[in-house]
Amino acid sequence: MAVPKKKTSKAKRNQRSATWKGKAAVAAQRAMSIGKSVLSGRAQGFVYPVSDTDEAEA
């Protein structure tokens, strides 16, 4: 089994964490953007199925 030979520095650990959190922030921003466009009705390139029963109740 592969085992690291030396302790990872705090700087390297923080760098990896920042990269991971940065990717999550970009994914969250994209999700919010898609959600806003769907709710505003301006969604292009994204198919959002709307059932007829939801429109009748509203």
Side-chain angles (χ1 to χ4, degrees):
M1 211 166 115
V3 178
K5 301 299 180 196
K6 294 185 178 183
K7 181 179 177 180
T8 304
S9 68
K10 291 179 183 178
K12 193 58 149 179
R13 180 197 65 200
N14 293 341
Q15 181 182 13
R16 287 198 185 110
S17 178
T19 301
W20 183 76
K21 288 180 181 178
K23 288 181 179 181
V26 169
Q29 183 64 37
R30 286 184 182 155
M32 284 296 295
S33 177
I34 289 173
K36 286 179 182 179
S37 66
V38 166
L39 290 176
S40 67
R42 292 183 293 158
Q44 296 178 357
F46 182 80
V47 179
Y48 183 73
V50 178
S51 63
D52 293 333
T53 57
D54 291 342
E55 293 175 359
E57 293 174 2

